[in-house]
Amino acid sequence: MGLIDKYMNDKDVRRLIYVFLTSGVMKNGSMMATALGTSQGGPLSPLLSNIYLTPYDRELEKRGLKFVRYADDSNIFTKSKRSSYRVRDNAKSYLERKLQLTVNMEKTEARRAVGSTFLGFTFLTYGEKGRLGMIRPQEKKLKKLKDRIRLITKRNRGVAIEGVIRELNSVLRGWIGYFARSFIKSYLEDLMGWIRRRIRQYLWKQWKNGRNRKHRLRQLGIAEWRLSKWKLGSNSYWKMARLMNHLIENETIHVHYKLVDAVG
């Protein structure tokens, strides 16, 4: 608040920030007072981080360092591994000594720009001078996405397929909206094939037996002569999910069940 008073003359904005800080938070359905800090995930947290870390930015600029920062996430780039350790230790000392902040050393590393991560992205290079590099989602972000999809499409959830598709669409739209500028086309092609197979598996489980499965497939417009060629009583769900792409086609999943096509 001292920095806000120093750089901002608008008393209405100052009062609004103060009200945000003291408004309390909901925890397990109960209101709790906030005596310290800002609520995580709210719009105020990155704003105050930017204000409070402005002196840190100025210090890095004064030292001639190349860096990027968003809220409390920051990367400083150096030419060598050796210099990266020195810069990291100096930055840590400044944050703890001057700004009275605690640096999470588990999330703090020293390295060159190539292969570094920032805000969920990994920075890559082609290794050619003058040619721009590319970014891709961090490996742990890719794993987190697949884990989330596995949970949504778990075949014994007992949720109607329409609800499953709504959840999937929400997750896919949010993830793609964030990572759309990265190099993900080939990954998404593989991902969508895997998701469609999990949906077929989910349907096969929900339809339960051969008689009901034939009935459901007829509703999708599958001809009788095609149904007669398949043994529809099998409960080998994952195996049948692969075989069923001849009956439950990709277009059916995207048009009839309204799954978002992340590639298209």
Side-chain angles (χ1 to χ4, degrees):
M1 295 305 294
L3 283 172
I4 292 170
D5 291 338
K6 181 178 179 180
Y7 295 111
M8 188 179 297
N9 296 322
D10 193 324
K11 293 183 178 180
D12 291 333
V13 173
R14 187 197 187 283
R15 183 178 179 280
L16 180 61
I17 292 174
Y18 181 78
V19 170
F20 261 104
L21 290 173
T22 58
S23 61
V25 295
M26 292 291 292
K27 186 175 182 181
N28 297 326
S30 301
M31 178 64 74
M32 296 183 63
T34 48
L36 185 69
T38 64
S39 57
Q40 295 300 301
L44 190 61
S45 181
L47 171 65
L48 293 184
S49 293
N50 284 334
I51 293 172
Y52 193 73
L53 289 172
T54 297
Y56 171 72
D57 296 341
R58 299 294 176 263
E59 181 66 19
L60 296 180
E61 290 171 352
K62 186 173 71 174
R63 298 184 186 189
L65 296 170
K66 297 181 183 295
F67 69 97
V68 292
R69 183 178 66 77
Y70 177 82
D72 60 348
D73 288 314
S74 177
N75 276 13
I76 307 173
F77 302 111
T78 60
K79 291 183 178 180
S80 68
K81 190 76 171 178
R82 184 176 180 180
S83 61
S84 68
Y85 285 110
R86 173 177 52 79
V87 170
R88 181 198 63 181
D89 293 340
N90 289 340
K92 177 178 179 291
S93 175
Y94 180 86
L95 289 169
E96 293 182 339
R97 182 171 45 86
K98 290 286 188 179
L99 299 182
Q100 303 297 308
L101 295 173
T102 301
V103 177
N104 186 345
M105 292 307 295
E106 292 183 0
K107 296 182 179 180
T108 303
E109 62 176 347
R111 62 179 304 158
R112 298 177 63 196
V114 177
S116 64
T117 59
F118 187 60
L119 300 178
F121 293 93
T122 298
F123 297 88
L124 305 174
T125 179
Y126 290 104
E128 300 176 15
K129 187 175 181 180
R131 186 179 180 186
L132 292 176
M134 61 182 181
I135 57 175
R136 70 179 181 194
Q138 203 172 346
E139 286 299 326
K140 67 178 183 179
K141 298 298 182 181
L142 300 177
K143 181 180 182 301
K144 185 177 179 181
L145 174 64
K146 295 197 78 170
D147 289 344
R148 178 66 177 142
I149 292 170
R150 281 192 186 96
L151 187 63
I152 293 173
T153 57
K154 191 176 181 181
R155 67 173 184 251
N156 59 356
R157 283 188 68 196
V159 177
I161 187 63
E162 292 78 12
V164 171
I165 297 295
R166 279 196 299 271
E167 290 183 59
L168 280 174
N169 287 344
S170 177
V171 169
L172 288 172
R173 286 190 180 107
W175 194 88
I176 294 168
Y178 187 82
F179 289 105
R181 292 184 179 274
S182 59
F183 188 73
I184 55 173
K185 184 176 181 181
S186 59
Y187 173 78
L188 287 179
E189 289 173 350
D190 293 339
L191 180 72
M192 289 308 301
W194 177 71
I195 291 174
R196 286 189 291 264
R197 185 173 177 181
R198 290 193 65 85
I199 290 174
R200 292 184 182 104
Q201 175 186 241
Y202 194 91
L203 290 169
W204 204 248
K205 168 70 174 178
Q206 281 207 329
W207 292 347
K208 294 184 179 180
N209 55 57
R211 182 178 179 181
N212 189 47
R213 286 164 184 161
K214 281 190 176 183
H215 172 67
R216 296 286 187 171
L217 289 169
R218 288 189 191 102
Q219 288 182 325
L220 293 176
I222 307 301
E224 197 67 34
W225 67 269
R226 296 182 67 188
L227 294 178
S228 63
K229 291 185 175 183
W230 294 89
K231 181 182 177 182
L232 302 180
S234 173
N235 285 333
S236 180
Y237 302 111
W238 189 240
K239 178 182 176 181
M240 291 306 297
R242 179 173 63 84
L243 297 174
M244 281 299 99
N245 62 357
H246 298 287
L247 297 178
I248 309 173
E249 299 177 345
N250 294 350
E251 184 179 0
T252 300
I253 292 176
H254 292 300
V255 176
H256 181 80
Y257 291 106
K258 296 180 172 55
L259 176 70
V260 167
D261 187 357
V263 180

